[in-house]
Amino acid sequence: DWFDVVNYHFYSDWESLPIRRPRLAAAMKKLGIADKPVWQTETGSSSDPSLNIRTDYPNSPETQAADVFRRIVQGYGFGDSLVVWHCYIPSMPNPQSDWRAYGVRDPQGNPTLAGHAFRLLTSELVPWTKVERLAADPRGANVYRFTLPDGARKIVAWGSGTYAAPAGAAQFVSVVPAADGTFAWQAVAPGAALPLSPVPILVK
């Protein structure tokens, strides 16, 4: 009763969140605070391939852009009320810093690939009325369904195997943009098998 919000930071690889987040929920239940809202007040990954602590996919601008969806979507899908990316604009480049290249914009303010991915996420999925976790398997499929205020449903999926486009689906796109920040939407028919990879796709 002395606090209103439970918060945590998550910087490990995205695969471990489906394992760790339920442990947090179990601990909250054991402590009698399961009704408290949960805020993920820091998460993120670096785009610098030479920085291999916390995550080492290996890191790149492309894996960072994918992480914008993998981390934020997972957080909300597991019940977080707020998910905050670290950070907006990084400090000036410092080859000795363990926190370099985490921003979604570069030090000059230009959007990175992650910045363009972040805009895609907010423009297509915000606001939503409901987020449903349909699958969360670090070694298999990860599928989340967003319902928007107008009733539209959109899917974010990644992992391995295939995902059958749902009824009403018409387009899908990789959440990692081209070098110029653009996204190449492709037509899809309901029921079509979409191959999954570590890079999420957005289906609408």
Side-chain angles (χ1 to χ4, degrees):
D1 292 337
W2 287 83
F3 61 92
D4 301 308
V5 174
V6 176
N7 85 290
Y8 71 104
H9 294 178
F10 178 71
Y11 284 106
S12 185
D13 52 87
W14 68 264
E15 294 96 333
S16 65
L17 191 135
I19 299 168
R20 296 183 177 191
R21 182 60 175 81
R23 293 176 184 169
L24 174 60
M28 290 173 61
K29 183 176 181 180
K30 183 177 180 180
L31 292 168
I33 57 172
D35 60 332
K36 303 283 187 182
V38 178
W39 292 2
Q40 189 179 161
T41 47
E42 285 188 28
T43 191
S45 60
S46 173
S47 63
D48 188 338
S50 69
L51 186 61
N52 56 16
I53 62 173
R54 303 182 194 92
T55 57
D56 186 18
Y57 297 130
N59 299 318
S60 69
E62 290 77 17
T63 62
Q64 186 187 50
D67 260 353
V68 165
F69 273 79
R70 292 185 299 214
R71 291 171 179 273
I72 294 175
V73 167
Q74 277 195 131
Y76 286 115
F78 274 89
D80 295 347
S81 299
L82 176 69
V83 181
V84 181
W85 184 272
H86 172 78
C87 54
Y88 184 58
I89 296 180
S91 56
M92 294 303 291
N94 178 354
Q96 304 306 316
S97 171
D98 288 340
W99 293 96
R100 60 188 179 272
Y102 271 79
V104 296
R105 290 182 178 268
D106 65 23
Q108 289 71 46
N110 303 306
T112 62
L113 293 186
H116 292 295
F118 197 95
R119 177 164 290 185
L120 177 71
L121 187 152
T122 57
S123 65
E124 291 289 338
L125 302 178
V126 177
W128 62 77
T129 58
K130 182 167 61 174
V131 182
E132 298 169 273
R133 186 175 73 247
L134 304 183
D137 183 351
R139 293 184 175 85
N142 300 268
V143 183
Y144 295 82
R145 182 168 59 204
F146 287 72
T147 301
L148 278 57
D150 64 0
R153 290 183 169 184
K154 300 184 181 183
I155 297 289
V156 178
W158 72 93
S160 61
T162 61
Y163 172 71
Q171 302 178 77
F172 77 99
V173 71
S174 168
V175 305
V176 175
D180 63 359
T182 59
F183 294 90
W185 288 91
Q186 300 179 58
V188 65
L194 296 169
L196 298 181
S197 78
V199 175
I201 55 172
L202 174 61
V203 185
K204 68 176 183 177

